[in-house]
Amino acid sequence: MRATVIYGAGDVRVEQVPDAVLQEPTDALVRVVRSCICGSDLWPYGSRPATGHGDRIGHEFLGVVEDAGAEVSGLRRGDLVVAPFVWADNTCDFCREGLQTSCRHGGMWARDGVDGGQGEAVRVPQAQGTLVKLPVGEDSALLPSLLTLSDVFPTGHHCAVTAGVGPRTTVTVIGDGAVGLSAVLAAKRLGAERIILMGRHKDRTDLGREFGATDVVAERGAEGVERVRELTGGDGTHTVLECVGLRPAIETAFAVVRNGGTVSRVGAPQYPDVPADFGVFFRNITLTGGVAPARAYIEELLPDVLEGRLQPGKVFDRTVGLGQVPDGYRAMADRSALKVLIQP
């Protein structure tokens, strides 16, 4: 079968790889119908050392069950399913606590011999706990939005939930990428009173306004901080959702959060130290966030997507076939595409 393989920075190829096949009685074989490129895929795309062998890549996909092991129940051939960006048994103590990302028997796609999501098919370990059945057909117009349940929408939701976003809270979202826009949508869904989106790409911030942003701040650094403070009477917002992953973003977050407020960061942070000095400590700022346990949120978010109340799939602004995946990576890396949908 064909699948995406990364060899080094800027070197992504679509190659023939061994067919996905059942290996364990808890496996399912899924034919991929839609997958996509994640912003976190751009980190290895920009920095991976070159090697003579490639690694599979991709962790967001939905597809059709083609086969299942003897110990998999509740799924049958022909079911359309979405896979969270980590696989998990959904029964261990961590999973029962809603932390499937720490599953004692789980793991990550494209690691340790497990298929990546950017290919024609995937062997899904712990299929019964991992996969969520979708009550639509593979030709549904909802597929882009349903695909976001694999990662980007639950990640934005996790950011808002851990920050404590709710009615009467004010929110600053830092970043107009797909995760930031998903965080705007999540904050609106949770009833935020005011949502300030910090971003400078007009096409993206326009979508942010459609998703629920009440204000847009295009300035960065000290100017951006000053602008948010002006909008909030000098106090900043109750919560800040940091969806960029670079140190200047977390510095901005601490600068625009209200005293006693909460900063949540999600995605894949690219800095080892958090600049939380005594000044941040004295203001009683809470720092939270982390990797999103997408599996814990899918059933909660699914009805709003199925019934059309939310359309998170609008973050996809380009669709490519599997053979054009390298072009999709280039488009996202040079910011000419927000998020690329892959249709094998």
Side-chain angles (χ1 to χ4, degrees):
M1 69 177 193
R2 294 187 304 158
T4 305
V5 180
I6 184 168
Y7 281 83
D11 188 2
V12 166
R13 312 174 196 177
V14 177
E15 297 184 336
Q16 293 290 329
V17 302
D19 286 342
V21 296
L22 300 181
Q23 297 180 13
E24 303 290 341
T26 50
D27 289 349
L29 178 62
V30 172
R31 171 174 55 86
V32 176
V33 174
R34 298 288 188 278
S35 60
C36 57
I37 301 171
C38 182
S40 63
D41 293 329
L42 298 183
W43 298 118
Y45 183 73
S47 62
R48 184 188 186 278
T51 59
H53 66 86
D55 294 318
R56 298 287 298 278
I57 193 169
H59 55 263
E60 300 165 280
F61 66 95
L62 59 76
V64 174
V65 175
E66 296 290 332
D67 199 1
E71 295 181 15
V72 177
S73 62
L75 295 171
R76 62 182 182 179
R77 182 181 177 88
D79 286 344
L80 185 73
V81 292
V82 63
F85 68 90
V86 299
W87 49 272
D89 63 18
N90 209 30
T91 59
C92 80
D93 53 340
F94 282 119
C95 287
R96 291 195 303 271
E97 294 168 10
L99 200 63
Q100 289 86 344
T101 45
S102 295
C103 178
R104 295 186 186 277
H105 310 108
M108 301 184 71
W109 306 109
R111 301 274 184 90
D112 303 318
V114 178
D115 297 312
Q118 293 169 15
E120 292 181 317
V122 176
R123 176 181 72 88
V124 178
Q126 300 292 343
Q128 186 173 323
T130 299
L131 299 173
V132 178
K133 184 178 177 179
L134 301 171
V136 299
E138 62 179 285
D139 59 348
S140 171
L142 295 175
L143 291 194
S145 286
L146 292 168
L147 176 58
T148 68
L149 296 174
S150 182
D151 183 350
V152 67
F153 188 26
T155 294
H157 179 70
H158 183 65
C159 198
V161 167
T162 54
V165 174
R168 295 179 300 281
T169 56
T170 55
V171 183
T172 298
V173 176
I174 301 177
D176 58 11
V179 172
L181 295 176
S182 296
V184 170
L185 190 61
K188 176 66 173 180
R189 177 182 176 274
L190 292 170
E193 178 181 277
R194 188 176 195 177
I195 304 170
I196 300 171
L197 173 60
M198 300 189 75
R200 60 189 182 127
H201 303 89
K202 188 176 184 303
D203 54 340
R204 301 183 182 191
T205 56
D206 284 349
L207 180 57
R209 288 188 184 277
E210 182 180 341
F211 278 180
T214 54
D215 305 271
V216 170
V217 171
E219 296 87 350
R220 287 183 167 186
E223 291 183 357
V225 170
E226 181 180 0
R227 180 63 181 142
V228 173
R229 291 282 178 176
E230 288 175 356
L231 289 170
T232 56
D235 287 340
T237 54
H238 298 104
T239 60
V240 178
L241 313 184
E242 195 277 277
C243 304
V244 174
L246 296 175
R247 186 181 175 96
I250 192 68
E251 291 172 346
T252 296
F254 285 134
V256 300
V257 69
R258 179 186 173 98
N259 288 359
T262 301
V263 172
S264 180
R265 61 176 186 158
V266 294
Q270 300 298 301
Y271 49 91
D273 301 311
V274 174
D277 57 14
F278 183 77
V280 172
F281 174 80
F282 191 79
R283 295 170 57 213
N284 280 291
I285 305 305
T286 297
L287 177 64
T288 185
V291 63
R295 183 64 183 82
Y297 297 128
I298 291 177
E299 278 94 348
E300 176 185 351
L301 299 173
L302 181 58
D304 282 337
V305 174
L306 289 173
E307 295 169 22
R309 289 188 293 270
L310 301 177
Q311 298 181 60
K314 288 187 174 184
V315 297
F316 295 111
D317 59 349
R318 185 170 304 189
T319 300
V320 298
L322 189 56
Q324 288 74 50
V325 166
D327 295 332
Y329 271 85
R330 283 189 287 271
M332 284 184 61
D334 66 18
R335 301 296 189 268
S336 62
L338 170 58
K339 190 168 178 67
V340 173
L341 183 73
I342 302 168
Q343 186 170 339

